[in-house]
Amino acid sequence: DEATRTDDILLLGALWRQLGWLLEERGLHDQALESFFQCREVVSESGNAHEQMVADWQVGHGLRLVGRLTEARTMMEEIARRNRARYRTQRGANQAEWLGQALRELGELDLAQGKTARGIQYLRDAREYLVLAGASDLAPELLVAVDRRLAQAHALQGTAR
């Protein structure tokens, strides 16, 4: 039936997603990106808007890792725009989390392109939304990573003066 088919699609998408993360952990960014593309293709058949947005985020993340910064920025700006609009009306932890994740990626993109001040602002904003999403309790390591990146960015900014 249709519910079983959707569950199977989402499971296959989750497998592609997990493979992408494992490949990324091993530094195989091109292969990770390909897995994220496969995940997005599979998940698009599910009709699940949240899963599609997560898959889009992962593709944008992967694009950044392989240096396709313009494409990554376009995707992340759209994801941030959509989640900011959802957050204005729903104010849920899920919207805050994904807005924070998109802003974090935009911060990383700016840092990669030498736009340190704007990158720092994106990372600060990302941290705020991640805290609103409950990351302090649910994913403290995420906040530690953002704080570490902010410290690195501030150090860069100090040397650029």
Side-chain angles (χ1 to χ4, degrees):
D1 71 346
E2 188 61 30
T4 302
R5 182 180 178 283
T6 298
D7 288 346
D8 289 347
I9 288 169
L10 292 177
L11 176 60
L12 183 56
L15 291 171
W16 279 112
R17 176 179 296 130
Q18 191 59 37
L19 177 60
W21 290 126
L22 291 170
L23 291 165
E24 180 183 330
E25 286 175 8
R26 287 167 176 73
L28 302 170
H29 297 144
D30 289 318
Q31 292 92 331
L33 176 59
E34 185 56 38
S35 290
F36 294 147
F37 273 123
Q38 290 293 328
C39 173
R40 185 172 70 171
E41 184 177 324
V42 168
V43 168
S44 70
E45 298 173 26
S46 74
N48 183 311
H50 174 73
E51 290 297 325
Q52 290 173 356
M53 183 276 303
V54 172
D56 286 344
W57 180 90
Q58 289 172 306
V59 167
H61 170 78
L63 288 167
R64 177 179 62 81
L65 293 177
V66 300
R68 292 167 58 181
L69 304 183
T70 302
E71 293 169 86
R73 179 174 300 283
T74 298
M75 291 190 78
M76 288 303 163
E77 286 174 346
E78 177 59 21
I79 291 165
R81 186 194 63 73
R82 282 186 277 158
N83 280 289
R84 187 173 280 118
R86 278 192 204 109
Y87 186 76
R88 284 186 190 123
T89 61
Q90 297 174 11
R91 298 238 178 233
N94 193 45
Q95 291 78 21
E97 175 189 1
W98 288 102
L99 177 53
Q101 292 285 15
L103 294 172
R104 180 181 179 200
E105 284 294 320
L106 287 167
E108 292 292 348
L109 286 161
D110 279 338
L111 294 177
Q113 294 177 313
K115 300 172 185 170
T116 308
R118 192 168 79 173
I120 288 171
Q121 188 58 55
Y122 272 129
L123 290 172
R124 284 182 183 151
D125 292 347
R127 190 182 197 291
E128 285 183 36
Y129 283 104
L130 293 169
V131 167
L132 289 170
S136 299
D137 296 324
L138 302 172
E141 69 282 356
L142 179 58
L143 295 180
V144 168
V146 172
D147 289 342
R148 185 179 319 116
R149 199 63 176 119
L150 276 166
Q152 292 169 343
H154 282 294
L156 282 173
Q157 194 175 43
T159 60
R161 290 181 184 172

